[in-house]
Amino acid sequence: MKNALSFSLADFFYNDSPNVLTPPSDFLEWIQDPQIQAGFSFFHQMLLDAPRSVTKIHSNIDGKDRRVINFTSYNYLGLSTHPEVIQAVIDGVKKYGMGASGSPMLSGTFDVHVQFAKKLADFKKKEDCILFSSGLGGNVGALQGLLRKGDILVMDEKIHKSLVDGGILSGAKMIFFKHNDMQHLDQILSEHKGKRTLLAVEGVYSMDGDLVKLPEITQMIDSSYPNVALYLDEAHSSLMFGKNGRGVGEHFGLEDKVGMDYGTLSKSFGGVGGFICSNALIVKYLRGYASAFNFSCAPSPAIVCGLMKSLEVATRDSSLRDKLWENTKYFKDKLQAMKLNLGGTQSQVIPIIVGSSGELLFELATELQLKGLFLQPVDFPAVPAHERRFRLSMTAQIEREVMDEALNIIEDVIVKKLKAKGMLGE
Ligand SMILES: Cc1ncc(COP(=O)(O)O)c(C=O)c1O
């Protein structure tokens, strides 16, 4: 295909083939192009070991199994592989078996679901909590369960796809404001003043690692739009931000302004699932209307046993959080000293932005992986075309020597190449 690299998944969304089971013909031509296949080979690579900071993958690049330093897993606090968490899952699986074998309403609610939901609600200082078997399901379910045609859903343009999909399903009118742009947000809210409105934002934005401007947003709501409800997705901030790890809401001292406090259980918690903490009545309402809760099997009770232990380990003291922030600072300082473009990161999510060339991104990704660094390229349309990047997830569990080894590889591959191309300041 001519100029295959100038196309992306964004170009084949609409399908005009007469049979819905046939993808667009130009999509097939595009996806089979050798350059595109090489790009896609970075995705769906098999991990052969646990998602630790050093793990083993089967590399799609050269077909070999290799030890890699892993910056791609969201096991931010190392809880997926924490010995106490693993033991809790083993005990749970022995008692409850593998799956819940039923939706929450009929036969899928176990004692551990009720206990865990109560612990999460207490932890988040809210009245109640609803558990979902996936993080994405939690966002989709909440918006579909809460909003109706005629309602207004205002979202930051960088919001996660699960909230966009939930918005589409709900039938609400969706309006996006420019990322963290308070003036634009104010303009949109004022245009829809008086209508039932939900404002959805993320605590830590997942591609950039920057924080929501919560003080400005809550101040704006308080002063001008008291009926606007605030939905905060703390997927990348729960257990990590705030003195007690309650998230970005706690970090800013504004938890009580957050109407719906969403979290995933797949990242810092190290398991799988999603949850929303809020007032008791709206949680009761959601239990009736959120299809992802009602019409889906409940989370595995054995995994919930592990998640309960994750919550306990992460909150009994601040050691894991402290270690995460110590590692993040160490690594970021070194990357900044190399003059790499880290965007506006304020968290453990650290982008290394390499610019507009997809070819360069994948060339660098190949070299990094062959040298033993598992650092996924993030291409357009997941990020703007001029801001293609690597996105690095820092963890509490990584050793200093391993960080140094990774920094050497980054210097040897990314810094060297960007310097040679004149894309890095001296
Ligand atoms: C901001 C945000 N919200 C929700 C989700 C969905 O969570 P999960 O992957 O656990 O389904 C993600 C996942 O990447 C996310 O980044």
Side-chain angles (χ1 to χ4, degrees):
M1 183 184 217
K2 254 195 192 161
N3 298 328
L5 283 177
S6 62
F7 297 98
S8 75
L9 281 175
D11 296 301
F12 306 100
F13 181 75
Y14 293 100
N15 185 354
D16 59 0
S17 66
N19 184 330
V20 290
L21 299 186
T22 309
S25 55
D26 49 355
F27 172 77
L28 293 175
E29 202 189 325
W30 176 73
I31 200 103
Q32 280 159 15
D33 183 277
Q35 279 181 297
I36 300 305
Q37 281 195 355
F40 271 99
S41 65
F42 284 94
F43 309 118
H44 309 288
Q45 295 188 92
M46 286 187 293
L47 271 83
L48 305 174
D49 208 340
R52 295 191 178 88
S53 52
V54 176
T55 188
K56 200 169 169 192
I57 62 166
H58 177 76
S59 170
N60 288 346
I61 310 306
D62 59 1
K64 290 191 178 144
D65 296 350
R66 82 163 36 85
R67 167 202 180 266
V68 283
I69 300 172
N70 174 22
F71 280 118
T72 62
S73 298
Y74 303 121
N75 189 11
Y76 294 129
L77 296 178
L79 288 167
S80 163
T81 45
H82 192 286
E84 289 180 59
V85 174
I86 291 173
Q87 191 55 52
V89 176
I90 292 171
D91 294 344
V93 93
K94 281 187 181 154
K95 178 164 179 191
Y96 297 102
M98 185 162 69
S101 305
S103 67
M105 194 192 278
L106 297 178
S107 57
T109 299
F110 289 66
D111 52 355
V112 286
H113 291 116
V114 177
Q115 288 158 21
F116 185 45
K118 164 104 183 60
K119 281 178 193 286
L120 282 171
D122 290 348
F123 170 59
K124 289 281 189 171
K125 292 185 173 297
K126 299 282 185 212
E127 289 172 7
D128 205 351
C129 171
I130 175 170
L131 291 180
F132 292 87
S133 40
S134 95
L136 178 139
N139 273 338
V140 171
L143 297 197
Q144 166 270 322
L146 280 180
L147 300 173
R148 305 286 174 263
K149 199 161 179 248
D151 290 343
I152 306 293
L153 173 59
V154 180
M155 297 187 273
D156 189 289
E157 65 183 354
K158 294 207 171 171
I159 205 85
H160 192 257
K161 182 85 166 75
S162 49
L163 287 158
V164 178
D165 285 355
I168 294 170
L169 202 54
S170 75
K173 180 174 177 184
M174 299 199 294
I175 309 164
F176 295 91
F177 65 97
K178 289 186 204 132
H179 180 54
N180 266 342
D181 184 330
M182 295 301 106
Q183 229 181 329
H184 193 209
L185 173 61
D186 194 19
Q187 184 196 325
I188 289 169
L189 291 179
S190 74
E191 280 165 13
H192 297 86
K193 204 164 180 172
K195 297 203 173 127
R196 272 168 47 98
T197 301
L198 184 71
L199 169 59
V201 290
E202 283 177 34
V204 167
Y205 283 91
S206 59
M207 287 295 158
D208 296 81
D210 57 343
L211 303 190
V212 63
K213 291 188 173 165
L214 202 57
E216 289 90 332
I217 288 177
T218 52
Q219 215 262 325
M220 190 187 298
I221 290 177
D222 281 352
S223 61
S224 310
Y225 311 104
N227 283 328
V228 169
L230 185 58
Y231 187 108
L232 181 61
D233 177 331
E234 297 251 30
H236 296 272
S237 39
S238 275
L239 296 187
M240 294 172 282
F241 275 80
K243 189 164 176 290
N244 299 287
R246 290 201 292 272
V248 161
E250 184 191 20
H251 170 78
F252 286 117
L254 293 166
E255 290 162 279
D256 57 330
K257 306 281 182 192
V258 177
M260 306 289 289
D261 188 335
Y262 164 94
T264 175
L265 299 163
S266 69
K267 304 189 196 302
S268 55
F269 280 84
V272 67
F275 67 95
I276 296 164
C277 296
S278 188
N279 74 66
L281 291 180
I282 205 68
V283 170
K284 202 182 267 294
Y285 182 78
L286 265 186
R287 286 203 184 102
Y289 288 100
S291 300
F293 171 77
N294 239 340
F295 297 99
S296 186
C297 187
S300 154
I303 297 295
V304 171
C305 293
L307 291 165
M308 211 140 33
K309 186 55 81 176
S310 287
L311 180 62
E312 184 194 317
V313 172
T315 55
R316 67 184 165 210
D317 60 39
S318 64
S319 56
L320 287 178
R321 279 195 296 289
D322 295 345
K323 193 75 195 148
L324 176 70
W325 297 127
E326 185 190 314
N327 289 349
T328 302
K329 180 170 178 355
Y330 179 78
F331 210 80
K332 250 190 224 172
D333 285 350
K334 299 275 181 189
L335 293 178
Q336 263 153 0
M338 293 179 200
K339 297 198 163 57
L340 288 164
N341 177 3
L342 310 184
T345 175
Q346 298 166 275
S347 69
Q348 79 289 354
V349 176
I350 310 172
I352 301 179
I353 299 170
V354 297
S356 57
S357 167
E359 264 167 306
L360 174 64
L361 179 74
F362 287 105
E363 198 181 308
L364 292 170
T366 305
E367 240 184 280
L368 290 170
Q369 190 162 123
L370 294 178
K371 288 196 151 75
L373 196 58
F374 190 31
L375 198 56
Q376 286 290 49
V378 188
D379 199 0
F380 176 80
V383 291
H386 63 286
E387 287 187 343
R388 290 178 162 100
R389 66 192 61 188
F390 296 96
R391 183 186 49 168
L392 192 145
S393 299
M394 185 44 70
T395 71
Q397 55 178 340
I398 192 164
E399 302 290 340
R400 185 60 67 92
E401 310 82 73
V402 178
M403 281 196 275
D404 288 338
E405 192 186 335
L407 286 162
N408 283 337
I409 298 174
I410 289 172
E411 183 148 37
D412 198 30
V413 176
I414 304 182
V415 173
K416 209 157 142 191
K417 182 84 48 140
L418 294 185
K419 261 193 188 156
K421 287 182 175 288
M423 293 167 68
L424 208 61
E426 285 306 316

Short mmCIF file of all heavy atoms in Angstrom, two decimals, residues 267-313:
data_model
loop_
_atom_site.label_atom_id
_atom_site.label_comp_id
_atom_site.label_asym_id
_atom_site.label_seq_id
_atom_site.Cartn_x
_atom_site.Cartn_y
_atom_site.Cartn_z
N LYS A 267 -4.75 -1.86 38.47
CA LYS A 267 -3.47 -1.15 38.39
C LYS A 267 -2.77 -1.22 39.76
O LYS A 267 -2.18 -2.24 40.07
CB LYS A 267 -3.69 0.26 37.87
CG LYS A 267 -4.41 0.22 36.50
CD LYS A 267 -4.48 1.54 35.82
CE LYS A 267 -5.49 1.58 34.70
NZ LYS A 267 -5.33 0.62 33.61
N SER A 268 -2.87 -0.16 40.57
CA SER A 268 -2.14 -0.22 41.85
C SER A 268 -2.61 -1.38 42.73
O SER A 268 -1.83 -1.93 43.50
CB SER A 268 -2.32 1.10 42.60
OG SER A 268 -3.69 1.37 42.76
N PHE A 269 -3.86 -1.80 42.62
CA PHE A 269 -4.36 -2.91 43.43
C PHE A 269 -3.81 -4.27 42.96
O PHE A 269 -3.87 -5.25 43.69
CB PHE A 269 -5.89 -2.97 43.39
CG PHE A 269 -6.58 -1.98 44.30
CD1 PHE A 269 -6.79 -0.67 43.90
CD2 PHE A 269 -7.01 -2.36 45.56
CE1 PHE A 269 -7.44 0.23 44.73
CE2 PHE A 269 -7.66 -1.47 46.40
CZ PHE A 269 -7.87 -0.16 45.98
N GLY A 270 -3.37 -4.32 41.71
CA GLY A 270 -2.72 -5.53 41.20
C GLY A 270 -3.65 -6.67 40.82
O GLY A 270 -3.19 -7.80 40.60
N GLY A 271 -4.95 -6.42 40.74
CA GLY A 271 -5.87 -7.52 40.40
C GLY A 271 -6.65 -7.21 39.15
O GLY A 271 -6.07 -6.88 38.11
N VAL A 272 -7.97 -7.29 39.25
CA VAL A 272 -8.83 -6.92 38.14
C VAL A 272 -10.20 -6.54 38.70
O VAL A 272 -10.62 -7.08 39.72
CB VAL A 272 -8.91 -8.06 37.10
CG1 VAL A 272 -9.63 -9.29 37.64
CG2 VAL A 272 -9.56 -7.62 35.80
N GLY A 273 -10.87 -5.60 38.02
CA GLY A 273 -12.18 -5.15 38.48
C GLY A 273 -12.22 -3.64 38.57
O GLY A 273 -11.23 -2.95 38.30
N GLY A 274 -13.38 -3.12 38.92
CA GLY A 274 -13.54 -1.67 39.07
C GLY A 274 -14.47 -1.38 40.24
O GLY A 274 -15.18 -2.28 40.71
N PHE A 275 -14.46 -0.15 40.73
CA PHE A 275 -15.37 0.21 41.83
C PHE A 275 -15.71 1.69 41.78
O PHE A 275 -14.94 2.50 41.26
CB PHE A 275 -14.76 -0.15 43.20
CG PHE A 275 -13.54 0.66 43.58
CD1 PHE A 275 -13.67 1.80 44.37
CD2 PHE A 275 -12.28 0.29 43.17
CE1 PHE A 275 -12.55 2.55 44.74
CE2 PHE A 275 -11.15 1.02 43.52
CZ PHE A 275 -11.29 2.16 44.31
N ILE A 276 -16.87 1.99 42.34
CA ILE A 276 -17.27 3.39 42.47
C ILE A 276 -17.81 3.61 43.87
O ILE A 276 -18.68 2.86 44.34
CB ILE A 276 -18.35 3.77 41.45
CG1 ILE A 276 -17.76 3.64 40.03
CG2 ILE A 276 -18.83 5.21 41.66
CD1 ILE A 276 -18.78 3.62 38.97
N CYS A 277 -17.26 4.61 44.54
CA CYS A 277 -17.73 4.96 45.87
C CYS A 277 -18.53 6.26 45.76
O CYS A 277 -18.09 7.21 45.09
CB CYS A 277 -16.56 5.17 46.82
SG CYS A 277 -15.61 3.67 47.08
N SER A 278 -19.68 6.28 46.44
CA SER A 278 -20.51 7.49 46.38
C SER A 278 -21.52 7.45 47.51
O SER A 278 -21.35 6.68 48.47
CB SER A 278 -21.23 7.53 45.01
OG SER A 278 -21.89 8.77 44.85
N ASN A 279 -22.57 8.28 47.40
CA ASN A 279 -23.57 8.24 48.46
C ASN A 279 -24.43 6.98 48.33
O ASN A 279 -24.58 6.40 47.25
CB ASN A 279 -24.39 9.54 48.50
CG ASN A 279 -25.38 9.64 47.36
OD1 ASN A 279 -26.33 8.87 47.30
ND2 ASN A 279 -25.16 10.57 46.45
N ALA A 280 -24.99 6.56 49.45
CA ALA A 280 -25.65 5.25 49.51
C ALA A 280 -26.82 5.15 48.53
O ALA A 280 -27.03 4.11 47.90
CB ALA A 280 -26.13 4.98 50.93
N LEU A 281 -27.55 6.24 48.35
CA LEU A 281 -28.75 6.16 47.51
C LEU A 281 -28.41 5.99 46.04
O LEU A 281 -29.03 5.21 45.34
CB LEU A 281 -29.61 7.42 47.71
CG LEU A 281 -30.27 7.52 49.09
CD1 LEU A 281 -31.09 8.80 49.20
CD2 LEU A 281 -31.15 6.31 49.36
N ILE A 282 -27.39 6.72 45.59
CA ILE A 282 -27.06 6.61 44.16
C ILE A 282 -26.40 5.26 43.88
O ILE A 282 -26.57 4.67 42.80
CB ILE A 282 -26.24 7.82 43.64
CG1 ILE A 282 -26.44 8.00 42.13
CG2 ILE A 282 -24.77 7.71 43.94
CD1 ILE A 282 -27.79 8.43 41.71
N VAL A 283 -25.68 4.71 44.84
CA VAL A 283 -25.10 3.37 44.66
C VAL A 283 -26.24 2.34 44.56
O VAL A 283 -26.22 1.44 43.72
CB VAL A 283 -24.10 3.03 45.79
CG1 VAL A 283 -23.69 1.56 45.73
CG2 VAL A 283 -22.85 3.91 45.69
N LYS A 284 -27.25 2.53 45.40
CA LYS A 284 -28.41 1.63 45.34
C LYS A 284 -29.08 1.72 43.95
O LYS A 284 -29.43 0.73 43.35
CB LYS A 284 -29.41 2.06 46.43
CG LYS A 284 -30.38 0.95 46.83
CD LYS A 284 -31.36 1.46 47.87
CE LYS A 284 -30.97 1.24 49.30
NZ LYS A 284 -30.92 -0.13 49.74
N TYR A 285 -29.21 2.96 43.46
CA TYR A 285 -29.83 3.19 42.14
C TYR A 285 -28.99 2.51 41.05
O TYR A 285 -29.51 1.82 40.18
CB TYR A 285 -29.92 4.70 41.90
CG TYR A 285 -30.59 5.10 40.61
CD1 TYR A 285 -31.97 5.06 40.46
CD2 TYR A 285 -29.82 5.53 39.52
CE1 TYR A 285 -32.58 5.44 39.26
CE2 TYR A 285 -30.42 5.91 38.33
CZ TYR A 285 -31.80 5.87 38.21
OH TYR A 285 -32.39 6.24 37.02
N LEU A 286 -27.65 2.70 41.14
CA LEU A 286 -26.75 2.10 40.14
C LEU A 286 -26.85 0.59 40.14
O LEU A 286 -26.78 -0.05 39.09
CB LEU A 286 -25.31 2.50 40.43
CG LEU A 286 -24.74 3.71 39.70
CD1 LEU A 286 -23.26 3.84 40.01
CD2 LEU A 286 -24.94 3.59 38.20
N ARG A 287 -27.01 0.01 41.34
CA ARG A 287 -27.13 -1.46 41.40
C ARG A 287 -28.34 -1.94 40.61
O ARG A 287 -28.38 -3.06 40.14
CB ARG A 287 -27.24 -1.92 42.86
CG ARG A 287 -25.92 -1.84 43.59
CD ARG A 287 -25.86 -2.78 44.81
NE ARG A 287 -24.59 -2.56 45.51
CZ ARG A 287 -24.46 -1.85 46.62
NH1 ARG A 287 -25.51 -1.34 47.21
NH2 ARG A 287 -23.27 -1.67 47.16
N GLY A 288 -29.31 -1.06 40.46
CA GLY A 288 -30.50 -1.42 39.68
C GLY A 288 -30.32 -1.21 38.19
O GLY A 288 -30.92 -1.91 37.38
N TYR A 289 -29.49 -0.22 37.80
CA TYR A 289 -29.48 0.19 36.39
C TYR A 289 -28.17 -0.02 35.64
O TYR A 289 -28.16 0.07 34.41
CB TYR A 289 -29.92 1.66 36.27
CG TYR A 289 -31.39 1.82 36.53
CD1 TYR A 289 -31.86 2.26 37.76
CD2 TYR A 289 -32.32 1.49 35.55
CE1 TYR A 289 -33.22 2.37 38.01
CE2 TYR A 289 -33.68 1.61 35.79
CZ TYR A 289 -34.13 2.05 37.03
OH TYR A 289 -35.47 2.14 37.27
N ALA A 290 -27.06 -0.23 36.35
CA ALA A 290 -25.79 -0.39 35.63
C ALA A 290 -25.70 -1.82 35.09
O ALA A 290 -25.51 -2.77 35.86
CB ALA A 290 -24.61 -0.08 36.55
N SER A 291 -25.84 -1.96 33.77
CA SER A 291 -25.85 -3.32 33.19
C SER A 291 -24.55 -4.07 33.43
O SER A 291 -24.55 -5.28 33.62
CB SER A 291 -26.13 -3.25 31.69
OG SER A 291 -27.37 -2.64 31.47
N ALA A 292 -23.42 -3.34 33.41
CA ALA A 292 -22.13 -4.01 33.61
C ALA A 292 -22.03 -4.62 35.00
O ALA A 292 -21.21 -5.51 35.25
CB ALA A 292 -20.98 -3.03 33.38
N PHE A 293 -22.88 -4.14 35.92
CA PHE A 293 -22.94 -4.74 37.26
C PHE A 293 -23.98 -5.85 37.27
O PHE A 293 -23.70 -6.99 37.63
CB PHE A 293 -23.31 -3.65 38.28
CG PHE A 293 -23.62 -4.19 39.65
CD1 PHE A 293 -22.60 -4.58 40.51
CD2 PHE A 293 -24.94 -4.31 40.09
CE1 PHE A 293 -22.88 -5.09 41.77
CE2 PHE A 293 -25.23 -4.80 41.35
CZ PHE A 293 -24.19 -5.20 42.19
N ASN A 294 -25.16 -5.50 36.82
CA ASN A 294 -26.32 -6.36 36.96
C ASN A 294 -26.34 -7.57 36.06
O ASN A 294 -26.82 -8.63 36.44
CB ASN A 294 -27.55 -5.52 36.56
CG ASN A 294 -28.50 -5.44 37.69
OD1 ASN A 294 -28.45 -6.27 38.58
ND2 ASN A 294 -29.37 -4.47 37.65
N PHE A 295 -25.83 -7.38 34.84
CA PHE A 295 -25.95 -8.44 33.85
C PHE A 295 -24.58 -9.03 33.51
O PHE A 295 -24.36 -9.47 32.39
CB PHE A 295 -26.64 -7.91 32.58
CG PHE A 295 -28.06 -7.47 32.86
CD1 PHE A 295 -28.35 -6.13 33.05
CD2 PHE A 295 -29.08 -8.40 32.97
CE1 PHE A 295 -29.64 -5.71 33.33
CE2 PHE A 295 -30.37 -7.99 33.26
CZ PHE A 295 -30.66 -6.65 33.44
N SER A 296 -23.70 -9.00 34.47
CA SER A 296 -22.36 -9.56 34.24
C SER A 296 -21.96 -10.33 35.48
O SER A 296 -22.35 -9.97 36.61
CB SER A 296 -21.38 -8.40 33.99
OG SER A 296 -20.13 -8.89 33.63
N CYS A 297 -21.19 -11.36 35.30
CA CYS A 297 -20.76 -12.18 36.44
C CYS A 297 -19.98 -11.31 37.44
O CYS A 297 -19.19 -10.45 37.05
CB CYS A 297 -19.89 -13.32 35.94
SG CYS A 297 -19.46 -14.50 37.22
N ALA A 298 -20.20 -11.54 38.71
CA ALA A 298 -19.48 -10.78 39.75
C ALA A 298 -17.98 -11.10 39.70
O ALA A 298 -17.59 -12.15 39.19
CB ALA A 298 -20.04 -11.16 41.12
N PRO A 299 -17.15 -10.21 40.25
CA PRO A 299 -15.70 -10.49 40.27
C PRO A 299 -15.42 -11.82 40.98
O PRO A 299 -16.14 -12.20 41.90
CB PRO A 299 -15.12 -9.33 41.08
CG PRO A 299 -16.15 -8.25 41.04
CD PRO A 299 -17.47 -8.92 40.88
N SER A 300 -14.35 -12.48 40.56
CA SER A 300 -13.96 -13.74 41.20
C SER A 300 -13.75 -13.50 42.70
O SER A 300 -12.96 -12.64 43.10
CB SER A 300 -12.66 -14.24 40.57
OG SER A 300 -11.96 -15.05 41.49
N PRO A 301 -14.42 -14.26 43.58
CA PRO A 301 -14.25 -14.05 45.02
C PRO A 301 -12.80 -14.28 45.46
O PRO A 301 -12.33 -13.62 46.40
CB PRO A 301 -15.18 -15.08 45.66
CG PRO A 301 -15.84 -15.83 44.57
CD PRO A 301 -15.42 -15.28 43.25
N ALA A 302 -12.10 -15.18 44.78
CA ALA A 302 -10.70 -15.43 45.16
C ALA A 302 -9.85 -14.19 44.88
O ALA A 302 -8.99 -13.81 45.68
CB ALA A 302 -10.16 -16.63 44.39
N ILE A 303 -10.11 -13.55 43.73
CA ILE A 303 -9.37 -12.32 43.41
C ILE A 303 -9.75 -11.23 44.41
O ILE A 303 -8.89 -10.45 44.85
CB ILE A 303 -9.69 -11.86 41.96
CG1 ILE A 303 -9.22 -12.89 40.94
CG2 ILE A 303 -9.07 -10.49 41.66
CD1 ILE A 303 -7.72 -13.09 40.87
N VAL A 304 -11.01 -11.20 44.80
CA VAL A 304 -11.44 -10.20 45.80
C VAL A 304 -10.68 -10.42 47.12
O VAL A 304 -10.30 -9.46 47.79
CB VAL A 304 -12.97 -10.23 45.99
CG1 VAL A 304 -13.40 -9.37 47.17
CG2 VAL A 304 -13.66 -9.75 44.72
N CYS A 305 -10.41 -11.67 47.48
CA CYS A 305 -9.61 -11.94 48.69
C CYS A 305 -8.22 -11.30 48.53
O CYS A 305 -7.69 -10.69 49.47
CB CYS A 305 -9.44 -13.45 48.91
SG CYS A 305 -10.97 -14.26 49.33
N GLY A 306 -7.65 -11.44 47.33
CA GLY A 306 -6.34 -10.82 47.07
C GLY A 306 -6.43 -9.30 47.12
O GLY A 306 -5.56 -8.62 47.68
N LEU A 307 -7.50 -8.75 46.53
CA LEU A 307 -7.67 -7.30 46.50
C LEU A 307 -7.82 -6.71 47.90
O LEU A 307 -7.31 -5.63 48.21
CB LEU A 307 -8.89 -6.93 45.65
CG LEU A 307 -8.72 -7.19 44.15
CD1 LEU A 307 -10.07 -7.16 43.44
CD2 LEU A 307 -7.77 -6.17 43.53
N MET A 308 -8.51 -7.47 48.74
CA MET A 308 -8.70 -7.02 50.12
C MET A 308 -7.33 -6.95 50.81
O MET A 308 -7.05 -6.03 51.57
CB MET A 308 -9.63 -8.00 50.85
CG MET A 308 -10.43 -7.33 51.88
SD MET A 308 -12.15 -7.84 52.04
CE MET A 308 -12.29 -9.51 51.67
N LYS A 309 -6.49 -7.94 50.51
CA LYS A 309 -5.13 -7.92 51.09
C LYS A 309 -4.31 -6.77 50.50
O LYS A 309 -3.56 -6.09 51.20
CB LYS A 309 -4.46 -9.28 50.83
CG LYS A 309 -3.12 -9.47 51.49
CD LYS A 309 -3.14 -9.26 52.99
CE LYS A 309 -3.65 -10.45 53.76
NZ LYS A 309 -3.58 -10.26 55.23
N SER A 310 -4.50 -6.50 49.19
CA SER A 310 -3.79 -5.36 48.57
C SER A 310 -4.13 -4.07 49.30
O SER A 310 -3.23 -3.27 49.62
CB SER A 310 -4.23 -5.17 47.11
OG SER A 310 -3.73 -6.17 46.29
N LEU A 311 -5.42 -3.88 49.58
CA LEU A 311 -5.85 -2.65 50.26
C LEU A 311 -5.19 -2.57 51.64
O LEU A 311 -4.68 -1.51 52.03
CB LEU A 311 -7.38 -2.64 50.37
CG LEU A 311 -8.00 -1.43 51.05
CD1 LEU A 311 -7.69 -0.14 50.29
CD2 LEU A 311 -9.54 -1.58 51.15
N GLU A 312 -5.16 -3.70 52.33
CA GLU A 312 -4.56 -3.73 53.67
C GLU A 312 -3.06 -3.40 53.61
O GLU A 312 -2.57 -2.53 54.34
CB GLU A 312 -4.79 -5.11 54.27
CG GLU A 312 -4.31 -5.25 55.71
CD GLU A 312 -4.24 -6.72 56.13
OE1 GLU A 312 -5.16 -7.50 55.81
OE2 GLU A 312 -3.23 -7.08 56.78
N VAL A 313 -2.36 -4.07 52.69
CA VAL A 313 -0.90 -3.87 52.60
C VAL A 313 -0.58 -2.42 52.22
O VAL A 313 0.31 -1.79 52.80
CB VAL A 313 -0.28 -4.85 51.57
CG1 VAL A 313 1.19 -4.53 51.32
CG2 VAL A 313 -0.44 -6.29 52.02
#
